[in-house]
Amino acid sequence: MAVVEAEDLRRTYKTTTGTMRRRSIEVEAVRGVSFSIAEGELFGLLGPNGAGKTTTIKMLITLLIPTSGSARVLGHDVVKDAQWVRKNIGYVFGGDRGLYERLSALDNLRYFAELYAVPPGEQRRRIDELLELVGLKGRERERVEGFSRGMRQRLHIARGLLHDPPVVFLDEPTIGVDPIGARELRATISSLVQAGKTVLLTTHYMFEADALCDRIAMIAKGRIVGEGTPTELKAQVAEGTVVEIEVYGVPDETVDRLRRVPGVRSVSIEDREQAQALLVQTAPGAELTTALLAQLNGTTVGRVSSREPTLEDAYVALVGEE
Amino acid sequence: MALRLFAKGWAFHLKTLTSSGFFVLVSVIQPIIFASIAFFMYEQGSKSGTLLYVALGAGLMGIWSSTLFGSGGAIQWQRWQGTLEILIAAPAPFLLVLVPLTLATASIGLYSIVGTLVWGRIFFGVPLDFAHPLQLVVALPVTVFSLGLLGLMLASTFVLYRQASAFSNLLEYPVWLITGLLVPLSLLPGWVTPISWLLAPTWGVKAIRDAAIAGNPSAWPAIGMCVLLGAAYLVLGWFFMQNFERLARQRATLSLT
């Protein structure tokens, strides 16, 4: 049985513009998203900012009512059976908000243990276990306001797991966390799946999705543009190669010219300190380096290299098509 | 279980509220201001023996301010710190989450009445002879409870309407006036009286004054009115909450600040 099922989920936001002449506009954040997650699976929802990841997750955790479509968690409808769903899921939002800053980590966890009806006799043991799991043991009596972003994030995870839910939703849990902190968080996330939980993770970090997820749905502009295991997704662009060209200031017209070179599938630009990197995905068998460099006449070019596609390239290709 | 959640929630929110430096400052200074207002009003008045009457009213002003800002501010504050969504998505009934919060803010107001009386005693010699201590011991918590529940009714609207707290700021002074905290209701125009009957502070201050001041009628009827109004606020608050929570999820206003 699928643990989480989304069927043609849609969500529209109404917003207004203008001060004197107010006009109401409708923004379609999610436009027909469907997927299902099997028991014990770590499913990733990968997409750029504003793609509809958070809106989708908020519909699944009962905080937003879908405009249309339906979703079920463990067979229960997230709108009709909201209370049941709330009891059986845990969720963690990225960022450092959502905690009672002036109180200690322990106070926060104790209060949420009450809200999640953790039996009084079990609270102490459960909180201890979780502090150990997220690596906050020994710091639990300190006020949250003094915590680093990574510590807050780990406290959030502990909060989300207090009632030992079978399904966990993690919305960009490593956002803004330093590399070592993020690595520790990823280890914690892996351990959740080992403990038998079903996890939905949203992220826009490719390597994170690649390293953690059993299956990934790529989402862009409110629609799912690709779905599969990381290997399957990479295979979609695997036949070609990626030429990476370091440039120092490249005009838009030049990028357009590169896109028109026969055999080029897509071109994207990544900012790297003073330089930019042009990532050119090419069709299989095409040896385009010379042709590409010819188009860059007049642009200062740095290092040029070609490599096998990564999940990020699959992402750029799929999301870029939208 | 519900009772435990209620008690734990109350203690938790009391701890959060009192851990703010701003709060500590306000709670020290505000009663001094209220006690001064009470004293100078008394000085200007011609009737004798009303110093305690005015001081009690001034003390209740503090409970009202604390409830109003606490309840309105509480929801807004939860929004700002991102905990409103977390509280709503928790399986505990939201009413059981919110009532302890509004009661905690009203309980803090209780300090205000004690503070006002203590400062009034120290600086202005307010006589603290209470006529019916037993009635007073009942009247005080009942008043705090009914004001807390009025706060709950207000707070339930803040779940949906982000702008409601601006409106709540406007309610501080009018309620001081029309519930007889500052001046006796008999001095106000007749049309104010029916409005004042619907507001718990009217009966709360009456109950406390009747219990404290010799020669006044028994405090029990006013205490009864506080209980009745409190129950009505609870029912209305619960009703609003059910609908507003759903509407907020439809309109996506929970995470907006």
Side-chain angles (χ1 to χ4, degrees):
Chain A
M1 187 189 79
V3 171
V4 180
E5 293 167 279
E7 265 173 46
D8 198 24
L9 273 183
R10 283 167 198 274
R11 174 72 212 197
T12 312
Y13 292 114
K14 279 204 180 92
T15 177
T16 50
T17 55
T19 36
M20 298 302 282
R21 267 201 216 155
R22 287 176 84 82
R23 266 188 329 119
S24 175
I25 4 172
E26 287 202 346
V27 180
E28 271 191 288
V30 172
R31 320 168 181 212
V33 162
S34 304
F35 57 82
S36 77
I37 309 175
E39 193 176 348
E41 197 174 24
L42 204 164
F43 184 83
L45 209 52
L46 187 65
N49 294 330
K53 300 187 297 288
T54 299
T55 302
T56 305
I57 225 171
K58 281 192 177 170
M59 288 191 276
L60 295 173
I61 65 170
T62 79
L63 277 176
L64 277 177
I65 295 178
T67 312
S68 71
S70 65
R72 283 175 299 282
V73 174
L74 294 161
H76 291 255
D77 188 276
V78 296
V79 179
K80 290 185 203 117
D81 258 349
Q83 213 59 16
W84 190 94
V85 171
R86 287 172 183 177
K87 273 188 198 131
N88 290 281
I89 59 166
Y91 61 91
V92 176
F93 294 146
D96 42 15
R97 296 168 73 238
L99 293 162
Y100 290 91
E101 300 263 319
R102 291 199 296 258
L103 300 184
S104 70
L106 192 60
D107 284 332
N108 271 275
L109 290 177
R110 278 182 182 153
Y111 180 56
F112 284 110
E114 294 294 337
L115 291 183
Y116 278 90
V118 179
E122 281 177 32
Q123 285 182 8
R124 185 183 291 243
R125 183 186 55 80
R126 186 80 193 127
I127 290 173
D128 261 2
E129 276 172 13
L130 286 169
L131 286 168
E132 197 76 60
L133 175 80
V134 299
L136 284 176
K137 193 91 190 115
R139 308 290 299 267
E140 69 269 28
R141 292 189 187 276
E142 292 173 32
R143 279 189 179 201
V144 175
E145 61 190 3
F147 276 18
S148 70
R149 202 160 186 166
M151 289 167 76
R152 284 158 194 254
Q153 204 51 54
R154 282 182 277 159
L155 182 57
H156 267 304
I157 293 185
R159 178 195 51 72
L161 298 175
L162 276 167
H163 54 306
D164 200 12
V167 191
V168 184
F169 295 86
L170 305 168
D171 190 13
E172 305 199 350
T174 56
I175 199 160
V177 178
D178 66 70
I180 294 172
R183 189 192 290 174
E184 285 169 4
L185 278 176
R186 283 196 288 277
T188 311
I189 295 168
S190 300
S191 68
L192 295 181
V193 183
Q194 280 157 23
K197 300 198 184 300
T198 306
V199 180
L200 188 148
L201 167 81
T202 76
T203 180
H204 57 242
Y205 298 130
M206 304 306 135
F207 61 96
E208 186 166 290
D210 201 357
L212 289 174
C213 299
D214 300 317
R215 225 149 43 83
I216 294 170
M218 289 194 179
I219 184 169
K221 294 183 183 157
R223 287 198 184 90
I224 289 184
V225 292
E227 195 183 326
T229 63
T231 322
E232 283 166 0
L233 288 168
K234 278 184 252 182
Q236 292 187 13
V237 288
E239 305 96 51
T241 43
V242 178
V243 182
E244 223 178 285
I245 308 168
E246 203 172 56
V247 287
Y248 298 87
V250 59
D252 288 347
E253 308 87 72
T254 311
V255 178
D256 285 339
R257 276 211 306 276
L258 288 175
R259 286 200 175 106
R260 287 196 294 271
V261 171
V264 168
R265 282 176 162 177
S266 71
V267 181
S268 59
I269 309 175
E270 240 178 56
D271 282 321
R272 289 184 187 167
E273 297 186 358
Q274 292 94 354
Q276 292 118 30
L278 286 170
L279 301 172
V280 184
Q281 299 204 8
T282 66
E287 180 33 64
L288 297 176
T289 315
T290 324
L292 293 171
L293 289 174
Q295 299 297 334
L296 288 167
N297 210 358
T299 309
T300 316
V301 175
R303 209 162 47 90
V304 179
S305 59
S306 70
R307 57 172 171 78
E308 291 295 301
T310 59
L311 185 64
E312 182 158 347
D313 300 317
Y315 171 85
V316 169
L318 287 165
V319 170
E321 279 167 18
E322 268 297 296
Chain B
M1 208 64 186
L3 204 64
R4 182 184 158 93
L5 176 60
F6 187 88
K8 291 274 175 182
W10 177 78
F12 178 80
H13 289 298
L14 205 61
K15 199 169 172 183
T16 321
L17 291 163
T18 52
S19 62
S20 120
F22 174 74
F23 164 77
V24 175
L25 198 71
V26 167
S27 22
V28 172
I29 295 172
Q30 218 175 29
I32 301 178
I33 299 171
F34 290 155
S36 309
I37 294 173
F39 179 74
F40 293 121
M41 283 184 70
Y42 167 75
E43 277 236 302
Q44 297 302 313
S46 51
K47 281 200 239 166
S48 61
T50 52
L51 188 51
L52 184 59
Y53 175 93
V54 182
L56 287 169
L60 218 71
M61 281 158 59
I63 305 192
W64 175 241
S65 298
S66 165
T67 310
L68 194 59
F69 292 121
S71 307
I75 293 290
Q76 205 59 6
W77 183 237
Q78 309 287 335
R79 246 186 232 288
W80 281 328
Q81 63 181 1
T83 42
L84 184 63
E85 283 192 315
I86 293 174
L87 295 180
I88 293 222
F94 193 51
L95 190 74
L96 268 179
V97 177
L98 203 53
V99 174
L101 172 59
T102 62
L103 279 180
T105 64
S107 312
I108 281 170
L110 191 61
Y111 164 80
S112 174
I113 199 165
V114 175
T116 305
L117 291 176
V118 170
W119 287 119
R121 172 89 198 133
I122 295 170
F123 292 138
F124 309 116
V126 174
L128 298 185
D129 316 313
F130 303 118
H132 310 285
L134 175 69
Q135 290 181 17
L136 190 66
V137 166
V138 179
L140 275 171
V142 167
T143 302
V144 168
F145 232 79
S146 61
L147 262 72
L149 292 170
L150 176 56
L152 169 83
M153 200 174 72
L154 291 172
S156 64
T157 64
F158 302 156
V159 173
L160 181 62
Y161 299 106
R162 279 178 288 158
Q163 297 81 0
S165 60
F167 171 69
S168 84
N169 289 353
L170 295 175
L171 283 179
E172 188 179 23
Y173 297 90
V175 170
W176 282 356
L177 273 178
I178 66 172
T179 54
L181 300 187
L182 277 172
V183 288
L185 280 174
S186 54
L187 295 178
L188 299 172
W191 58 266
V192 170
T193 318
I195 302 174
S196 71
W197 286 341
L198 298 175
L199 296 168
T202 309
W203 301 102
V205 75
K206 182 164 167 40
I208 291 171
R209 280 172 178 159
D210 288 348
I213 299 166
N216 272 24
S218 162
W220 297 117
I223 293 174
M225 275 308 291
C226 278
V227 173
L228 268 179
L229 276 177
Y233 297 148
L234 182 65
V235 172
L236 279 172
W238 176 77
F239 175 76
F240 288 155
M241 194 92 59
Q242 296 282 314
N243 291 290
F244 289 166
E245 191 229 283
R246 198 183 161 84
L247 273 174
R249 282 160 57 214
Q250 253 164 25
R251 296 187 191 170
T253 57
L254 290 173
S255 61
L256 301 175
T257 48

